[in-house]
Amino acid sequence: MESQLPFASPCRRSDRVSIAYPVEIAGTNLGGSRFSERTTTMVVSRYGCCLSLTRLLMPGQRILMRRIGTDDETPARIVARMNAASPGHTYGIESRNSCEGLWGIRFSSSFYERLLDTMQDGVYFVNRDRKITYWNSAAERLAGYSPAEAVGKRCCESFLAHVDETGKSLCADGCPLSQAMLSGESRQLEIYLRHKEGHRVPVSVRVLPMRDTAGNIAGAVEFLQDASARKKVEHRVSELENLAFRDPLTALPNRRYLQMKVEQALEECRRFHRRFGLLMFDVDRFKQVNDTHGHNVGDAVLKAVAATLAQNQRAEDIVGRWGGEEFLVLTCDVDAIALSDLAERCRVLVVESSVPLDSSRVSVTVSIGATPLDHFDTCESALQRVDQLMYQSKRSGGDQTTVG
């Protein structure tokens, strides 16, 4: 039962309460043999107690102190032999960790804890066993647990139940506190903790290992920053971006976004000699589809063409709706031959696509213009050229590709 960790000995003060708790003290006596003795406390404090033992122990001697009737225990050491108390000896005992969980008492705060309680961020400390030894007011606001409910609990035992954005539990695998104590390095990540009332709270977490005076890792501290407001702002920004750059019917990038990406591609073409190509698609006889089957079917056809084009490009290529029944593809690292092959593959895939209508299906073809980007191009000249090539395909009867 004896602790083997070096012991820190800061001078720490808190209220002292005269109360008798049954405890078990275990360690090694002066003769080198192990002992275990039961006694009761005379005075308890946040970081230790005063009690009487029958045997003689020396200042600095390490022991393990356990409250009888519970599983709570803590490494401790003899601070001083206070006086002879027949039939034994009275000792002052100091613990490395807070004894509030051991005694079930909340002691008055030190200056530093009062300072931590003024912080907007939640802060809590754990020992090597991930048992919480300190819990500030902001942590209570974030998680709903009071210090009395949190101190003494292990953070991994159905308490905060940290998960990442995929829902993966971090308590058993990926705990930032455990990783910080193992590596000795700080950790920073975005997670979700479980509030006392059951709902999930998004928090930005920073974890730092804590060391004792001998330089050994004795625990860790976790800072919790409420990310709810930031998440709402990010969601709203995402919504605004979707409104600004996303076509509402097909969910593809819109004309504004495509123009911006063509400008960026031309800059890369000029600076790094990277090769890009443009494909412009126009659905043949689309007005006839609308007039014959109605706008709902027309919209379904556009979404089918959009999905066919989007799902059959490389991840780095950009597919968007240029407007009406026109679509644009910006593809990278291609020459004129590869661009022509890509256009033909897309043309065939669109022909093979169709939209169900009662007992039949509606299918369409596309006219395509294809052109490589040149470092002398402007956005306007490149788009005008690919548009003219596409219309050349339409004038030639549609369902074909013109490259230029």
Side-chain angles (χ1 to χ4, degrees):
M1 292 177 66
E2 184 180 5
S3 170
Q4 298 299 314
L5 294 173
F7 199 87
S9 57
C11 181
R12 296 172 291 188
R13 300 289 183 185
S14 69
D15 288 345
R16 289 168 170 79
V17 180
S18 296
I19 193 168
Y21 284 123
V23 293
E24 180 183 20
I25 305 298
T28 305
N29 63 24
L30 297 178
S33 59
R34 295 181 62 78
F35 73 89
S36 175
E37 182 175 337
R38 293 190 171 200
T39 183
T40 57
T41 60
M42 301 163 63
V43 174
V44 298
S45 68
R46 166 174 277 182
Y47 290 105
C49 63
C50 177
L51 49 74
S52 177
L53 295 172
T54 60
R55 66 194 67 246
L56 179 64
L57 301 176
M58 300 299 294
Q61 190 168 344
R62 290 179 293 179
I63 58 171
L64 190 70
M65 180 168 59
R66 181 178 69 86
R67 182 175 169 185
I68 296 172
T70 74
D71 293 328
D72 290 324
E73 60 185 21
T74 184
R77 69 163 191 156
I78 304 298
V79 178
R81 184 161 64 95
M82 301 172 65
N83 64 284
S86 180
H89 308 276
T90 302
Y91 297 98
I93 295 178
E94 182 184 53
S95 165
R96 174 190 297 113
N97 305 317
S98 170
C99 294
E100 288 183 322
L102 197 66
W103 311 134
I105 297 175
R106 176 69 173 171
F107 293 91
S108 64
S109 299
S110 68
F111 166 77
Y112 297 104
E113 291 181 359
R114 290 196 299 272
L115 183 64
L116 287 172
D117 275 339
T118 65
M119 294 180 62
Q120 294 298 312
D121 293 347
V123 180
Y124 69 95
F125 301 161
V126 298
N127 62 17
R128 290 299 299 264
D129 295 325
R130 286 197 280 173
K131 183 179 287 187
I132 297 172
T133 60
Y134 172 76
W135 183 266
N136 79 342
S137 298
E140 179 178 1
R141 289 194 298 272
L142 276 173
Y145 294 94
S146 68
E149 294 172 302
V151 172
K153 280 192 171 67
R154 296 184 72 219
C155 65
C156 54
E157 293 178 349
S158 300
F159 184 48
L160 298 178
H162 290 346
V163 297
D164 63 16
E165 61 183 7
T166 68
K168 174 190 172 185
S169 173
L170 301 179
C171 293
D173 181 20
C175 171
L177 289 163
S178 294
Q179 291 176 346
M181 288 188 283
L182 184 64
S183 67
E185 298 178 351
S186 64
R187 303 276 299 169
Q188 192 164 352
L189 65 163
E190 304 286 320
I191 63 173
Y192 297 81
L193 62 80
R194 186 175 61 203
H195 192 275
K196 181 180 178 180
E197 295 179 355
H199 59 276
R200 286 290 177 179
V201 180
V203 287
S204 298
V205 166
R206 188 177 183 195
V207 180
L208 302 171
M210 295 193 302
R211 299 180 183 272
D212 59 24
T213 53
N216 298 297
I217 294 175
V221 55
E222 183 167 305
F223 296 88
L224 304 168
Q225 186 177 56
D226 187 359
S228 300
R230 181 170 55 77
K231 291 287 185 184
K232 289 177 183 177
V233 170
E234 289 175 352
H235 180 68
R236 183 56 180 157
V237 168
S238 178
E239 286 182 335
L240 291 172
E241 286 179 346
N242 279 335
L243 289 173
F245 297 121
R246 192 72 58 180
D247 173 58
L249 176 65
T250 63
L252 292 179
N254 62 15
R255 185 184 190 121
R256 185 177 182 183
Y257 184 85
L258 290 167
Q259 287 176 319
M260 182 175 66
K261 288 300 180 180
V262 172
E263 292 276 13
Q264 293 176 4
L266 286 169
E267 183 64 21
E268 287 191 44
C269 181
R270 286 188 287 265
R271 294 182 60 186
F272 307 113
H273 306 290
R274 194 176 182 189
R275 294 183 296 183
F276 291 87
L278 285 179
L279 299 174
M280 184 168 282
F281 301 77
D282 184 271
V283 178
D284 296 326
R285 293 169 286 280
F286 182 69
K287 184 177 183 301
Q288 183 178 334
V289 173
N290 272 337
D291 292 344
T292 303
H293 303 292
H295 290 284
N296 288 339
V297 174
D299 287 348
V301 166
L302 291 178
K303 287 192 280 189
V305 172
T308 298
L309 296 178
Q311 294 173 16
N312 289 280
Q313 307 298 323
R314 298 170 301 175
E316 60 268 28
D317 295 339
I318 298 172
V319 182
R321 186 181 180 191
W322 188 245
E325 62 269 27
E326 295 179 348
F327 298 88
L328 187 73
V329 173
L330 173 64
T331 183
C332 59
D333 301 320
V334 291
D335 56 19
I337 296 175
L339 190 61
S340 178
D341 291 343
L342 174 60
E344 278 299 293
R345 179 163 61 87
C346 290
R347 185 189 63 79
V348 171
L349 289 171
V350 170
V351 170
E352 296 300 322
S353 304
S354 61
V355 173
L357 177 65
D358 298 328
S359 58
S360 62
R361 303 187 72 88
V362 178
S363 60
V364 294
T365 61
V366 288
S367 297
I368 308 172
T371 186
L373 295 185
D374 189 273
H375 65 279
F376 293 115
D377 272 324
T378 64
C379 182
E380 292 75 13
S381 68
L383 291 169
Q384 185 179 21
R385 184 168 67 251
V386 75
D387 183 70
Q388 291 171 347
L389 291 166
M390 180 267 294
Y391 273 104
Q392 185 175 333
S393 294
K394 289 189 76 67
R395 287 192 295 269
S396 299
D399 191 22
Q400 59 185 280
T401 300
T402 304
V403 183

